[in-house]
């Protein structure tokens, strides 16, 4: 488990005053990915049209470029607005396997200051059941502090 308070403080310092969403996503993908060796793919999918996610900044192997809200763990997080913690991706209906090594996944909705969905944060692990509620809570707080600031777009 990373030292989430220290990670949040580092991200806050690195992104202070920044409102460009892509710059913020790139910084978080980098800092989150290197914070924990459970994280084998760390990245964002952006809402680019109604019902459509498109890949954003990420760390790790190739990620698929486009995900409709109707598909995958990312689509489920975007469609429902609820964080998805998947202990075994092989049991998730419609899971999209960007890497055959992925065993578990967490996907969180990303919202702007007005509460509008602007994307999702996807973290994949090669370990089974790698993520828990503590990860979801800490990551959601980092996302809210970063993307919930006024003027992010
Ligand atoms: N596994 C995700 C797709 C994104 S790749 O893992 C980077 C999903 O099922 O939505």
């Amino acid at each position: 488990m990373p030292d989430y308070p220290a990670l949040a403080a580092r991200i806050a310092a690195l992104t202070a005053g920044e409102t460009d969403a892509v710059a913020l996503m790139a910084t978080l993908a980098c800092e989150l990915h290197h914070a924990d060796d459970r994280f084998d793919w760390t990245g964002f999918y952006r809402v680019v049209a109604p019902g459509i996610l498109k890949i954003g900044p990420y760390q790790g192997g190739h990620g698929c470029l486009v995900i409709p809200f109707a598909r995958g763990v990312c689509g489920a997080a975007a469609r429902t607005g609820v964080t998805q913690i998947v202990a075994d991706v092989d049991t998730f209906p419609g899971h999209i396997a960007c890497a055959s090594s992925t065993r578990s996944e967490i996907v969180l909705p990303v919202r702007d200051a007005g509460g509008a969905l602007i994307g999702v944060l996807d973290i994949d692990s090669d370990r089974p059941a790698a993520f828990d509620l503590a990860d979801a809570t800490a990551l959601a707080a980092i996302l809210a502090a970063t993307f919930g600031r006024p003027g992010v777009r």
Side-chain angles (χ1 to χ4, degrees):
M1 182 82 68
D3 178 347
Y4 277 119
L7 180 57
R10 184 161 68 251
I11 288 170
L14 288 169
T15 63
E18 185 56 64
T19 58
D20 179 85
V22 173
L24 293 171
M25 290 176 178
T27 304
L28 263 69
C30 173
E31 290 302 314
L32 293 174
H33 189 70
H34 294 291
D36 194 309
D37 58 13
R38 290 175 296 159
F39 303 172
D40 293 298
W41 193 96
T42 310
F44 291 86
Y45 281 85
R46 299 162 298 123
V47 178
V48 297
I52 301 291
L53 295 166
K54 194 161 280 190
I55 200 161
Y58 67 92
Q59 303 263 325
H62 168 78
C64 58
L65 300 186
V66 182
I67 300 178
F69 280 29
R71 292 194 59 219
V73 186
C74 292
R79 186 170 67 245
T80 65
V82 176
T83 294
Q84 307 290 310
I85 300 176
V86 182
D88 178 358
V89 296
D90 291 336
T91 66
F92 190 92
H95 171 255
I96 302 168
C98 292
S100 58
S101 58
T102 300
R103 302 270 60 83
S104 60
E105 189 164 355
I106 185 169
V107 183
L108 299 93
V110 181
R111 300 186 184 284
D112 66 13
L117 184 78
I118 61 173
V120 298
L121 168 64
D122 178 18
I123 306 178
D124 298 342
S125 183
D126 293 347
R127 303 178 193 185
F131 306 104
D132 60 17
L133 193 56
D135 291 301
T137 302
L139 291 167
I142 290 172
L143 292 172
T146 306
F147 297 96
R149 65 182 68 159
V152 170
R153 63 178 61 82

